[in-house]
């Protein structure tokens, strides 16, 4: 049997841009490569585009297989392409973004290759036997589980967007091999496609104002939203307010929400449970306002403020409006 070697990364793209999470995975794969000294490969599947071609060519990795999709977007065709690649190069590791596409794809590939998949990893490293240690929060974020796929290959892991720093080097010269994605005679036809522009997402914001259960009424969120907009940011929340139906799940930070990495995060009335902190611990500056001086979030904040949000927020808004 051939020895499995190499780190294989699934490169997702939309609207002429490789997804940030895929660039985060490439950066991580290059970091792992320094330890295992194995090649890093990529695979992309989708419509042909000049922008994508130039981005793929400038990745700092060995080679990319680019399957051009001409017909319907069918997961079975994607699976066939991926399995073909895996069988050809026998990678020891396959990394995918923990996106709706990446997560679904990972499990299909795992079934096809009769191997395991660890979803939503937050840490990837090697053990002394060069097995990939795939670490992810478990039991609602109360413990970190380290999972090994010792007996089968490839070791498949998905990683949530925003966990690893993205690739900054675009000076690579990758060999890109174009292939045509297979067609199915009786495949469903894609008649039209409507692209939905995501607006107001919290994961790309530099500044986030976060509302927690300390906010007493839904209407009070407007004060925090006003503050967020005056600061040039967006309003996010803990799960407590999503459960009340006051905020959308898209605005939730945490282990079952979004992972964010803004320059500044200001929390109001958030206690700082592990499930919440898992989603924001990499923020550059954490400012936390809590009425209770024993709230856990105050001990991790760069600027902990013991006080009532109902006094502090209106004062801040008045100050900012004067500027
Ligand atoms: C499987 C699972 C997954 C989960 N995933 C997530 C997740 O992704 N994200 C998440 O957030 N939670 C998650 N949770 C829920 C989590 O355990 C907590 O329930 C939640 O984070 C609490 O939100 P909170 O801090 O807003 O509320 P609380 O813990 O109730 O804290 C409210 C805080 O507001 C302060 N406060 C009250 N009044 C004021 C005031 N006037 N001014 C200033 N401060 C005030 C209080 O002192 C308190 O510290 C998950 C739970 C489970 C079981």
């Amino acid at each position: 049997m051939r020895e499995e070697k190499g780190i294989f990364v699934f490169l997702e793209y939309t609207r002429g841009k490789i997804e940030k999470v895929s660039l985060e995975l490439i950066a991580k794969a290059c970091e792992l490569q320094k330890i295992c000294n194995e090649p890093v490969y990529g695979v992309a599947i989708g419509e042909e585009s000049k922008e994508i071609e130039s981005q793929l060519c400038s990745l700092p990795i060995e080679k990319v297989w680019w399957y051009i999709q001409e017909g319907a977007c069918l997961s079975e065709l994607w699976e066939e392409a991926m399995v073909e690649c895996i069988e050809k190069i026998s990678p020891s590791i396959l990394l995918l973004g923990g996106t709706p596409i990446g997560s679904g794809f990972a499990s299909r590939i795992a079934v096809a290759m009769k191997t395991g998949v660890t979803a939503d990893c937050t840490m990837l490293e090697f053990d002394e036997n060069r097995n990939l240690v795939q670490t992810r929060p478990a039991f609602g974020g109360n413990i970190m589980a380290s999972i090994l796929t010792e007996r089968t290959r490839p070791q498949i892991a998905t990683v949530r967007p925003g966990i690893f720093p993205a690739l900054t080097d675009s000076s690579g010269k990758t060999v890109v091999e174009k292939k045509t994605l297979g067609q199915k005679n009786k495949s469903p036809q894609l008649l039209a496609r409507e692209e939905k522009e995501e607006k107001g997402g919290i994961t790309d914001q530099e500044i986030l104002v976060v509302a927690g259960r300390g906010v007493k009424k839904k209407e009070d969120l407007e004060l925090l939203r006003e503050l967020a907009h005056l600061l040039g940011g967006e309003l996010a929340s803990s799960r407590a307010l999503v459960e009340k139906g006051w905020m959308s799940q898209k605005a939730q930070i945490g282990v079952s929400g979004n992972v964010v990495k803004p320059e500044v995060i200001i929390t109001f009335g958030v206690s700082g449970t592990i499930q919440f902190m898992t989603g924001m611990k990499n923020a550059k500056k954490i400012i936390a306002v809590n009425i209770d001086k024993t709230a856990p979030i105050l001990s991790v904040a760069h600027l902990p403020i013991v006080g009532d949000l109902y006094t502090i927020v209106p004062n801040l808004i008045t100050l900012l409006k004067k500027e």
Side-chain angles (χ1 to χ4, degrees):
M1 211 176 81
R2 231 176 351 146
E3 193 195 351
E4 294 87 358
K5 266 190 177 222
I7 307 170
F8 201 26
V9 178
F10 173 55
L11 298 158
E12 243 181 85
Y13 64 86
T14 41
R15 298 188 200 105
K17 250 178 100 180
I18 298 180
E19 295 287 340
K20 202 159 151 245
V21 65
S22 300
L23 299 176
E24 291 164 4
L25 292 178
I26 290 285
K28 185 67 192 176
C30 292
E31 199 186 303
L32 292 169
Q33 181 185 38
K34 289 190 188 132
I35 304 165
C36 68
N37 205 18
E38 291 179 18
V40 176
Y41 304 113
V43 59
I45 309 176
E47 284 165 14
E48 194 161 23
S49 117
K50 284 262 165 293
E51 293 97 324
I52 293 299
E53 183 156 15
S54 81
Q55 288 165 60
L56 292 176
C57 288
S58 61
L59 292 173
I61 61 175
E62 220 83 2
K63 181 167 178 173
V64 172
W65 283 267
W66 186 16
Y67 285 84
I68 309 293
Q69 176 183 300
E70 285 166 355
C73 170
L74 279 181
S75 44
E76 55 197 288
L77 296 178
W78 283 42
E79 184 189 320
E80 272 172 27
M82 187 68 124
V83 168
E84 177 184 277
C85 269
I86 293 175
E87 284 174 345
K88 190 170 0 181
I89 61 175
S90 289
S92 119
I93 295 171
L94 170 63
L95 303 178
L96 303 95
T99 59
I101 291 179
S103 305
F105 201 22
S107 38
R108 288 186 77 105
I109 304 304
V111 171
M113 300 305 300
K114 297 193 171 49
T115 184
V117 55
T118 306
D120 286 341
C121 295
T122 54
M123 231 161 55
L124 295 172
E125 57 201 349
F126 288 117
D127 72 0
E128 61 286 1
N129 300 319
R130 289 277 161 82
N131 286 307
L132 188 68
V133 183
Q134 305 151 66
T135 303
R136 54 151 298 153
F139 295 107
N142 287 318
I143 61 157
M144 296 304 279
S146 292
I147 296 161
L148 297 180
T149 314
E150 284 179 305
R151 290 188 297 271
T152 54
R153 291 290 181 268
Q155 304 159 92
I156 305 182
T158 68
V159 177
R160 286 260 195 103
I163 297 281
F164 300 131
L167 181 80
T168 44
D169 174 15
S170 58
S171 61
K173 286 196 170 46
T174 312
V175 176
V176 177
E177 184 179 326
K178 284 192 202 175
K179 304 195 58 119
T180 307
L181 195 68
Q183 301 268 353
K184 283 254 153 51
N185 288 341
K186 286 194 178 154
S187 64
Q189 295 302 303
L190 181 71
L191 298 178
R193 187 168 61 189
E194 205 174 307
E195 302 253 332
K196 222 167 113 194
E197 192 72 46
E198 289 285 329
K199 282 197 186 128
I202 60 168
T203 49
D204 290 330
Q205 296 292 328
E206 304 267 285
I207 298 172
L208 284 175
V209 168
V210 187
R213 212 191 315 257
V215 174
K216 301 290 175 279
K217 294 198 298 295
K218 188 177 179 191
E219 304 81 85
D220 301 342
L221 287 173
E222 288 320 307
L223 264 183
L224 289 170
R225 202 181 308 277
E226 186 178 0
L227 176 63
H229 291 166
L230 283 168
L231 291 168
E234 268 305 328
L235 180 64
S237 83
S238 69
R239 180 158 130 173
L241 301 192
V242 176
E243 282 171 353
K244 280 176 187 261
W246 296 0
M247 292 288 291
S248 117
Q249 220 256 330
K250 283 188 182 160
Q252 182 190 318
I253 292 174
V255 72
S256 55
N258 295 282
V259 176
V260 295
K261 226 187 300 176
E263 292 293 313
V264 183
I265 190 163
I266 318 175
T267 68
F268 291 94
V270 173
S271 62
T273 56
I274 179 128
Q275 292 93 348
F276 175 79
M277 310 271 247
T278 303
M280 49 69 80
K281 61 177 191 284
N282 292 327
K284 293 237 174 80
K285 273 269 171 294
I286 303 172
I287 303 171
V289 176
N290 198 300
I291 207 157
D292 174 8
K293 67 175 184 335
T294 67
I297 198 153
L298 295 178
S299 56
V300 297
H302 302 100
L303 180 57
I305 301 170
V306 178
D308 187 339
L309 73 91
Y310 284 94
T311 315
I312 294 173
V313 177
N315 281 340
L316 273 174
I317 291 177
T318 312
L319 270 174
L320 287 165
K321 280 187 170 165
K322 268 193 201 148
E323 271 187 6

